[in-house]
Amino acid sequence: MVEAVMFFNEHGVCREMLLPEFEAVLDGVVGLPDLADQQVRLAYVLISPRLAVRAAVFFHLDFDEDGAADPNWNIPLRQLSERAGPGADLGAGPIRLVCRSQCSVPWHQMHLWDPEPQDLLSLRDAVRRNQLGLLSEEEGVATAGGLTPSLPATRSQEMAANARALPGKDWSDEQRRKTARLIKRQRLHIRDLNRYQEEALGRLKQAAERQAGALQAEVQQLREQLHRQQALNASLEAQRQALSESLARAEAEVARLIAEQRRERGVQADEQLRTEQTLQNRVGELETELAARTERERQGQEEILRLQHEHAQLAARGVEQALERLAGLGLTFVVYHPGAGHLTIPLQDIARYQENPMAYAAGKCSVSEERYRQWLDHFQQPLCEAELPGGRRCALPIDRVDSPQRFVAGESNCCSRHRSGSRLRNAC
């Protein structure tokens, strides 16, 4: 049996490699930059000498931003495939299948995935295409566990020569050509692996050189910081010594000043007393001046309020005089309110009308202001205002009541169905 690993994308199998190549990817020897920062779906496959799938383990693998495989990934693929349950028939009987929904080890399920039927068919077709260059029984060569890319070309040639030398084997020209093509594919595969390895080593060397350069720059920077710190320490030490000397001189000067102060304390006490008395007198004068200024400000505010009141009275008197002159010229003030019609407002009622026009109109209709407002809503939009169980209004068209005096809330603004229900509730 040959162990291989298949990579899947949305179109099916997109990459194939033998298990030793995959282990090189896991060990970080070979990177896959095209899969950087992705979680890839893979399948571990056991392939029979007849190029048939015998077992499959479908699992996930994460790649970092550099295309390196997750170093913490550790799933025992071979052990899982040996203890796998039966799966689909891909042409050689049911395969041993391990996936998220069929796994004998529960703590590995989170790292597995469930394949769709087209994924299984794509896996079968990829194995049959034999892009890995495996020797099959149809070509007359037993795989003996599979030809891995780690074998050198000379080893492949030796195996082919030994196979030709086996007794009882009739090698034809076609079989030799197939064997030669297989050896050529293996050489190309080994060359690609060597190229991948050289590229990986080159990337590692470049990364190491960049890291070494960064470390050298950091060391140089630390050395410069150390030199600056040493110079700063020396400067601080000199300053400390200078400050110590200054402190000693200051202590001596303080002692001298204390002695002089003790001698002059008697004179200073008298001077201080006189100064405090002067300050108290000055504070009293300032407090008196502040109280007088506060009183003047209060009187000014009262004068301002009085003038504002007189101005308002003069303005109102001017408006009243203007209205009286207009009334004297025969001008009348007429307004219209629904239900009350055209109202002629006397001159003495103008102020009351301005304060609340709705209440004035309600008074002319001999109803309360609230009842007039309810009637006005009904008059402008004659719809049933009863509330339904769902919180909506009934809103059925009803007959309009033209007079506020004949309007009854709960009766005039409700349809016949809700009006009768209201009467029944009142009766109860």
Side-chain angles (χ1 to χ4, degrees):
M1 293 289 182
V2 178
E3 297 173 296
V5 176
M6 305 293 183
F7 290 68
F8 285 81
N9 59 14
E10 62 273 11
H11 303 296
V13 176
C14 61
R15 179 174 297 177
E16 309 172 21
M17 60 176 63
L18 297 173
L19 185 61
E21 302 176 59
F22 181 67
E23 291 175 345
V25 173
L26 293 177
D27 294 337
V29 178
V30 179
L32 300 177
D34 57 317
L35 300 179
D37 199 18
Q38 296 184 32
Q39 184 181 65
V40 184
R41 297 180 301 156
L42 300 95
Y44 165 81
V45 186
L46 281 178
I47 304 175
S48 70
R50 293 182 177 274
L51 298 181
V53 178
R54 301 306 303 161
V57 181
F58 293 88
F59 62 96
H60 287 293
L61 179 59
D62 294 327
F63 290 85
D64 61 15
E65 60 273 7
D66 298 325
D70 182 6
N72 298 320
W73 183 90
N74 185 17
I75 298 179
L77 300 174
R78 188 178 289 111
Q79 289 82 350
L80 289 177
S81 67
E82 291 173 354
R83 293 184 291 177
D89 186 353
L90 298 183
I95 66 172
R96 299 196 303 274
L97 177 64
V98 178
C99 58
R100 181 184 289 269
S101 59
Q102 183 172 313
C103 179
S104 59
V105 184
W107 54 85
H108 288 315
Q109 288 180 343
M110 61 183 297
H111 302 293
L112 305 179
W113 59 283
D114 290 324
E116 300 292 337
Q118 58 267 27
D119 296 327
L120 296 173
L121 295 177
S122 177
L123 181 63
R124 182 198 64 185
D125 297 340
V127 171
R128 289 180 178 177
R129 286 195 297 269
N130 194 20
Q131 292 185 356
L132 294 174
L134 305 177
L135 291 175
S136 63
E137 289 185 356
E138 286 79 0
E139 295 177 342
V141 181
T143 59
L147 183 62
T148 63
S150 59
L151 293 174
T154 56
R155 177 61 177 164
S156 301
Q157 294 174 356
E158 182 181 353
M159 291 175 61
N162 293 336
R164 289 196 298 270
L166 290 175
K169 298 291 184 178
D170 185 13
W171 283 78
S172 63
D173 293 340
E174 181 63 25
Q175 290 172 332
R176 292 190 182 93
R177 284 194 295 272
K178 289 182 179 180
T179 304
R181 287 196 298 270
L182 177 61
I183 293 172
K184 183 178 180 181
R185 285 198 297 268
Q186 292 297 326
R187 288 176 178 172
L188 292 174
H189 198 56
I190 292 171
R191 187 184 65 185
D192 292 340
L193 283 178
N194 291 333
R195 179 170 56 81
Y196 290 150
Q197 186 175 7
E198 291 174 358
E199 292 177 355
L201 289 175
R203 289 193 295 271
L204 291 175
K205 288 180 180 179
Q206 292 177 0
E209 291 175 356
R210 289 194 298 269
Q211 187 175 5
L215 291 176
Q216 290 178 357
E218 186 176 357
V219 169
Q220 182 64 27
Q221 184 179 3
L222 291 175
R223 287 176 180 173
E224 294 177 356
Q225 291 180 359
L226 178 60
H227 293 328
R228 290 195 297 269
Q229 188 65 34
Q230 290 175 349
L232 180 61
N233 291 340
S235 175
L236 292 175
E237 180 64 22
Q239 292 179 7
R240 187 188 65 79
Q241 293 179 358
L243 288 174
S244 298
E245 296 174 356
S246 299
L247 181 61
R249 290 194 298 270
E251 289 177 350
E253 182 67 19
V254 167
R256 185 183 64 81
L257 291 174
I258 290 174
E260 292 180 357
Q261 185 179 12
R262 287 176 179 175
R263 288 192 302 268
E264 297 176 356
R265 182 173 296 175
V267 178
Q268 290 178 354
D270 296 338
E271 184 68 23
Q272 183 177 2
L273 183 60
R274 289 193 297 270
T275 302
E276 290 179 355
Q277 186 65 32
T278 303
L279 291 175
Q280 290 177 358
N281 296 334
R282 181 57 180 166
V283 168
E285 294 175 358
L286 291 176
E287 289 178 351
T288 303
E289 183 179 353
L290 179 60
R293 182 176 299 178
T294 303
E295 180 63 21
R296 287 196 299 271
E297 289 180 355
R298 186 184 62 78
Q299 293 176 358
Q301 291 292 337
E302 292 178 354
E303 183 66 18
I304 290 172
L305 293 175
R306 185 182 63 77
L307 293 175
Q308 289 178 348
H309 181 67
E310 291 179 357
H311 177 72
Q313 290 180 347
L314 291 174
R317 190 178 300 113
V319 172
E320 292 177 357
Q321 292 175 356
L323 292 175
E324 290 176 355
R325 286 196 299 270
L326 292 175
L329 294 175
L331 180 65
T332 58
F333 300 95
V334 180
V335 295
Y336 175 78
H337 284 272
H342 290 85
L343 299 176
T344 300
I345 302 176
L347 182 61
Q348 61 273 17
D349 291 346
I350 288 179
R352 186 162 60 91
Y353 177 81
Q354 289 178 340
E355 291 178 0
N356 192 343
M358 196 69 68
Y360 188 87
K364 292 296 182 180
C365 294
S366 301
V367 295
S368 64
E369 180 181 355
E370 181 181 1
R371 182 175 175 182
Y372 182 78
R373 290 180 181 274
Q374 292 176 349
W375 171 83
L376 185 61
D377 294 337
H378 161 75
F379 182 79
Q380 293 174 348
Q381 193 174 8
L383 300 176
C384 180
E385 298 181 2
E387 185 175 351
L388 299 178
R392 298 181 296 104
R393 293 178 59 181
C394 175
L396 287 177
I398 58 178
D399 295 335
R400 178 184 285 128
V401 177
D402 296 330
S403 174
Q405 291 88 348
R406 294 190 293 105
F407 176 79
V408 179
E411 295 288 337
S412 303
N413 56 351
C414 294
C415 62
S416 58
R417 181 163 61 92
H418 292 104
R419 191 162 51 241
S420 60
S422 176
R423 288 175 179 173
L424 289 175
R425 287 194 298 271
N426 292 333
C428 294

